[in-house]
Amino acid sequence: MRKKVIAGNWKMNMLPNEAIEFIQEFAPLVKDTQNEVILCVPYTDLFYVLLNTQDTNIKVGAQNMHWEENGAYTGEVSAKMLKSIGVKYVIIGHSERRAYFAETDETVNKKVKTALENELTPIVCVGETLEQREQGLTKDIITNQTKLALDGLDESQVEKVIIAYEPIWAIGTGKTATSEDANDSVKAIREEISKIYGQNVANRVIIQYGGSVKSSNAKELFTTSDIDGGLVGGASLKAEEFAKIVNYEL
Ligand code: PEP
């Protein structure tokens, strides 16, 4: 059975002192969960968050990385740099990066490969815009994004990737896909993976839902047949609320 993986995406929020306070409140609240708990934090918080989560069940992720190992890329951070300080996860291709920072399916694919080569687990975001949804293109868009993100990986690598299905119209808007709708989209992604890499691989890949997840809708979303947890933005900034999401089954 696939485990549930619940990751917070703090985006460009939280100063180090706020991050430390958050962990002091959050860690005891989630210490008994069987679910995997990840905090994806700004680069400037990574060191502090790693230090303060050392004796906890909380894993730490970054929100982006470059695909090259090193070189003249001012302002960028490599997978090797993240790995060297103990980061285990990295979000790749978040819709905000695709929309505002020219992230493409091609750069997403390069980053996924480099992340895996450096033993980081990529959390790859895919999702349709409202316009694409209204045109009936949701499944085409998300299956194509998935296929391109995974292009060139072998089966054992694909199993290590986490996919986050995040309908763009649901991110930060308070609008959530219905659990049935979200589960159908996640199923379509799993079927696409099955077509290319086989059913066994597809059965093992963790596919999250993201888009205005909160404590009041987490259980309904995370207990569907195919959704394996969530990528949570706004609601991951409040320790008590995020802990309720992590502990959704209690
Ligand atoms: C996200 O940033 O990945 C996200 C899903 O944000 P929110 O939960 O705020 O919609």
Side-chain angles (χ1 to χ4, degrees), residues 25 62 82 89 115 117 147 189 198 220 229 241-242 244 248:
E25 188 184 348
L82 296 176
Y89 296 83
E117 280 159 19
K147 188 169 80 184
I189 293 169
E220 199 191 330
E241 171 67 1
F242 190 42
K244 278 190 198 158
Y248 69 92

Side-chain angles (χ1 to χ4, degrees), residues 10 20 22 36 51 62 78 81 86 93 107 113 122 140 143-144 151 171 191 208 210 216-217 232 234 239 250:
W10 282 358
I20 294 165
F22 177 99
E36 192 137 324
L51 213 60
S78 73
M81 290 169 179
T107 59
K113 286 178 177 154
D140 289 345
T143 54
N144 195 45
D151 188 42
I171 297 179
E191 273 161 26
Q208 301 171 311
S216 56
N217 59 23
V232 184
L250 300 181

Side-chain angles (χ1 to χ4, degrees), residues 9 11 94 96 125 166 170-174 210-213 231-235:
N9 172 16
K11 311 193 186 193
H94 191 280
E96 287 152 15
C125 302
E166 299 208 304
I171 297 179
T173 57
S212 298
V213 173
L231 182 56
V232 184

Side-chain angles (χ1 to χ4, degrees), residues 79-90:
K80 209 175 222 158
M81 290 169 179
L82 296 176
K83 185 186 173 190
S84 73
I85 60 167
V87 171
K88 300 282 186 230
Y89 296 83
V90 58

